[in-house]
Amino acid sequence: MADANDETNVITLPVPAGLDLKADERANAEALARRYHAEFVDLKNFKIQHELLRTVPVELMFRYNFVPIELTPDTLIIAVSDPSRLMVLDEIAGLLSARITARVATLSQITDLLKKTEQSQRVLDEASEGLTFDVLTGDDNSDENISIEKLTRDTEDISPIIRLVDTTIFTALERRASDIHIESYDDSVHVKYRIDGVLQEAMAPIAREHHGTILGRIKIMSELDIAEKRVPQDGRFRVRYKNRLIDFRVSIMPTIYGENAVLRVLDKESMSEKFKNLTLDVVGFAEEDLRRFRRYIREPYGMVLVTGPTGSGKTTTLYAALNEIKSDEDKIITIEDPVEYQIRGITQIPVNEKKGLTFARGLRSILRHDPDKILVGEIRDQETAQIAINSALTGHLVFTTVHANNVVDVLGRFLNMGVEAYNFVSALNCILAQRLVRTICEHCARSVHYDDEIFITSGMDPAEWRGFDFREGTGCMECGGTGYRGRTAIHELLDLTDTIREIILAKKPTSEIRRQAQKEGMSFLRESALDRVRRGLTTLKEINKVTFIEATR
């Protein structure tokens, strides 16, 4: 993988600046509507018909600043900001060959709606249009800068494949995607975005014959070997978007139908800015768990262990913890693979296995730099585990992560690595297990009620939940029709009390550890998830997908 500091081709992705919403803009629009006897419509809370939007050429909507909102048997109803421009309305009617009825909305709402729902997606659709039936050739020029003006106009100067890849990247950034997946099938190529942890189709499938050209373009951008198609390759590239640099980590993997690609979006500049003020308050802890976890991260030594699958927010939680405890009096060193976000005042070391810098080797070197607190990005092997445990036993506070399903499974994972149980248990301060659940979109949330059958299948007591006002999102332009926008964390925190330590050292069943932890007041992941439902943050369907229903029994 190329070093993040290497000189890389930077692709510029500028977007048109949004119009500032003036304080009296709505009042002016309402006054215009009254003056011209037109109806005022608030697009922020208006349910947009996405299929209707797709029937109107995108360049017309941008040229005349309007958006179609309803189609009746004999009239197309559109929202405009200035109903006095009768010639413009006549021109729209002529171009669309339809009878037009105008309603009035604020210009900023019309602009925002076009940008959020149609600009990037329509450009993407137009870029991929024709690729389902035309075999394309073109020179892939990785030095070409991307701009929205180039993407939204018809041009003969840019290869359709370059245009497709560039617009796919642009749309991913517009839609807050964390990953872009390009998957090869026997007869087609599918492009998907991971948004809020869930994969969504980005466009209609593309014909199979364009697979090699698309992958070739991505390899050129990532400075990979375009001739090698039989082994995995890793690379990276960088784009400029809204005046900030965004890194993409690229992984190419061969499959039976050809190569697949995953592009991980790393918005370091934006996240590093957010992380300056990141605290555990925004991670989503329950109040009691937050109090206990804060106590453990301020201990003078020991190990704080966070567990969960890939993408469960473990790194964010640890960064938030470091942000809270860092001071000029302590030296904090981290070793990570990779260093995704920079935190000022902390020494961060990237793993480089190609050059021989592994977690174990880096950790040994860190200890010679007299740190007070250490973060080890992930424990993967016995050697790293042993060094981390020894560090925790010799006066260092060690933060680290490991992949396991819950706090109890972590214990077995470490013991299976071959570490000595007594040392491991003595070093541990606490184990935190974490998952992410999608939060309900506040723009389209509504109350719903469920039947007793749903409660029974969800392992819930119908008598307790019957009549409860659950919340769900219906889907709107803000959330892309999913009903969810953003994510929050659910947790379970295991205190390593003397009783728990004795049970572990006695090698008693994990069920006994869970029972004892529950006696001591521990809340499990399922209970944390139900608490988020009770507070109206997420849905019952979402927590059933993320947590085991049996956890409440």
Side-chain angles (χ1 to χ4, degrees):
M1 183 183 294
D3 188 2
N5 296 321
D6 289 346
E7 290 293 327
T8 57
N9 291 326
V10 178
I11 302 169
T12 304
L13 290 168
V15 275
L19 298 174
D20 292 332
L21 183 62
K22 298 177 182 178
D24 57 351
E25 185 181 18
R26 182 188 176 105
N28 290 340
E30 290 176 341
L32 274 174
R34 287 192 298 270
R35 180 178 177 183
Y36 290 96
H37 305 287
E39 183 181 338
F40 176 80
V41 59
D42 186 352
L43 293 181
K44 184 175 181 181
N45 301 312
F46 196 87
K47 191 166 181 63
I48 300 300
Q49 300 179 32
H50 293 278
E51 291 304 316
L52 177 58
L53 280 170
R54 292 180 179 275
T55 64
V56 179
V58 66
E59 62 274 8
L60 287 185
M61 291 191 287
F62 277 101
R63 188 189 309 162
Y64 296 112
N65 285 316
F66 77 94
V67 59
I69 57 177
E70 188 178 345
L71 180 64
T72 66
D74 58 349
T75 305
L76 175 65
I77 301 172
I78 65 173
V80 297
S81 61
D82 187 358
S84 67
R85 301 172 64 191
L86 299 179
M87 291 183 63
V88 169
L89 296 178
D90 289 342
E91 193 170 341
I92 295 172
L95 290 169
L96 296 179
S97 301
R99 183 182 175 186
I100 295 295
T101 297
R103 293 181 182 172
V104 181
T106 63
L107 180 60
S108 61
Q109 283 190 351
I110 293 172
T111 305
D112 288 344
L113 176 64
L114 289 174
K115 184 171 70 173
K116 287 179 181 177
T117 64
E118 283 301 309
Q119 180 188 36
S120 56
Q121 187 60 47
R122 180 69 65 85
V123 169
L124 184 57
D125 290 343
E126 289 178 355
S128 62
E129 186 178 2
L131 294 182
T132 55
F133 50 84
D134 289 333
V135 178
L136 301 167
T137 59
D139 180 29
D140 289 334
N141 180 8
S142 60
D143 293 327
E144 189 72 46
N145 286 343
I146 303 172
S147 68
I148 191 61
E149 289 79 11
K150 288 182 181 178
L151 302 180
T152 54
R153 70 171 183 255
D154 292 329
T155 176
E156 300 297 329
D157 300 330
I158 185 169
S159 159
I161 290 295
I162 295 177
R163 190 166 180 245
L164 171 66
V165 174
D166 291 352
T167 49
T168 299
I169 293 168
F170 174 82
T171 310
L173 297 172
E174 284 283 287
R175 294 177 61 182
R176 305 177 298 109
S178 61
D179 303 86
I180 304 171
H181 291 243
I182 299 173
E183 301 175 352
S184 174
Y185 291 76
D186 59 340
D187 59 349
S188 59
V189 178
H190 290 242
V191 180
K192 301 176 183 178
Y193 296 143
R194 188 176 292 280
I195 303 172
D196 292 334
V198 178
L199 284 177
Q200 301 176 18
E201 292 278 357
M203 65 184 84
I206 299 169
R208 179 73 175 78
E209 57 261 30
H210 307 296
H211 168 264
T213 321
I214 293 170
L215 266 292
R217 167 64 175 166
I218 293 171
K219 287 180 179 180
I220 288 172
M221 294 169 70
S222 311
E223 299 180 348
L224 300 177
D225 184 355
I226 61 173
E228 182 56 73
K229 299 180 180 179
R230 294 165 296 179
V231 297
Q233 296 189 69
D234 293 316
R236 66 194 310 143
F237 63 90
R238 182 176 293 167
V239 302
R240 188 179 299 280
Y241 168 75
K242 293 185 177 178
N243 295 322
R244 66 178 189 267
L245 291 174
I246 297 176
D247 286 326
F248 282 78
R249 203 166 71 219
V250 180
S251 177
I252 309 287
M253 181 177 63
T255 71
I256 58 172
Y257 294 123
E259 292 176 301
N260 283 6
V262 175
L263 286 65
R264 180 78 185 272
V265 183
L266 299 175
D267 190 355
K268 292 185 180 181
E269 290 186 22
S270 174
M271 291 305 297
S272 294
E273 191 67 30
K274 292 176 184 176
F275 277 20
K276 285 182 181 177
N277 303 312
L278 180 68
T279 66
L280 291 168
D281 292 311
V282 302
V283 175
F285 277 98
E287 188 174 338
E288 177 60 21
D289 285 344
L290 179 60
R291 183 189 64 79
R292 287 155 57 208
F293 190 65
R294 277 187 166 138
R295 187 180 84 231
Y296 287 122
I297 67 174
R298 287 178 169 83
E299 295 285 0
Y301 56 84
M303 180 182 287
V304 174
L305 194 57
V306 181
T307 185
T310 302
S312 61
K314 301 188 296 294
T315 303
T316 301
T317 298
L318 289 178
Y319 279 167
L322 289 179
N323 241 0
E324 288 202 0
I325 65 171
K326 69 177 182 179
S327 71
D328 293 336
E329 297 176 353
D330 291 330
K331 181 160 188 174
I332 303 175
I333 305 179
T334 77
I335 180 162
E336 306 167 61
D337 183 21
V339 176
E340 294 189 4
Y341 311 113
Q342 288 86 42
I343 304 179
R344 188 174 181 83
I346 293 177
T347 303
Q348 295 174 275
I349 302 168
V351 165
N352 189 338
E353 294 192 358
K354 290 182 180 179
K355 302 293 185 181
L357 178 55
T358 61
F359 275 113
R361 185 174 178 181
L363 191 49
R364 281 197 213 92
S365 180
I366 285 172
L367 293 172
R368 291 193 284 270
H369 280 248
D370 188 30
D372 297 288
K373 298 172 177 64
I374 303 168
L375 185 150
V376 183
E378 183 184 344
I379 290 181
R380 300 173 180 171
D381 53 61
Q382 180 184 359
E383 187 179 10
T384 308
Q386 198 62 61
I387 300 171
I389 290 167
N390 290 340
S391 302
L393 290 171
T394 54
H396 302 91
L397 184 61
V398 179
F399 296 87
T400 189
T401 72
V402 69
H403 286 242
N405 289 325
N406 53 55
V407 292
V408 178
D409 289 349
V410 170
L411 304 170
R413 180 80 191 275
F414 268 85
L415 296 178
N416 287 338
M417 284 183 191
V419 300
E420 189 177 339
Y422 181 80
N423 286 341
F424 173 57
V425 171
S426 300
L428 271 179
N429 290 348
C430 69
I431 306 174
L432 177 74
Q434 180 168 310
R435 296 287 188 283
L436 291 178
V437 293
R438 290 181 292 170
T439 51
I440 299 165
C441 174
E442 291 300 326
H443 295 86
C444 60
R446 63 183 176 92
S447 294
V448 296
H449 294 90
Y450 297 130
D451 297 331
D452 287 0
E453 184 179 347
I454 294 178
F455 299 138
I456 293 169
T457 57
S458 300
M460 300 159 65
D461 181 5
E464 179 186 352
W465 292 89
R466 192 180 297 124
F468 181 80
D469 284 335
F470 292 87
R471 296 177 81 227
E472 285 186 358
T474 57
C476 65
M477 69 176 183
E478 294 291 338
C479 60
T482 63
Y484 299 95
R485 184 174 175 85
R487 291 187 288 178
T488 188
I490 58 174
H491 302 92
E492 61 183 20
L493 181 65
L494 177 65
D495 297 294
L496 267 294
T497 61
D498 291 340
T499 308
I500 295 288
R501 284 189 168 96
E502 289 168 6
I503 293 173
I504 296 169
L505 292 175
K507 298 183 179 179
K508 292 185 179 179
T510 56
S511 57
E512 193 162 334
I513 300 174
R514 292 179 68 86
R515 277 196 298 271
Q516 181 60 34
Q518 199 163 22
K519 282 182 187 177
E520 296 176 0
M522 175 179 165
S523 295
F524 295 104
L525 279 172
R526 180 68 178 182
E527 293 164 352
S528 178
L530 286 170
D531 175 66
R532 303 300 186 275
V533 172
R534 193 175 279 109
R535 288 158 54 190
L537 297 176
T538 190
T539 65
L540 189 56
K541 179 181 178 182
E542 178 71 5
I543 68 163
N544 284 346
K545 187 180 75 171
V546 173
T547 62
F548 274 113
I549 293 172
E550 292 79 9
T552 58
R553 294 176 182 170

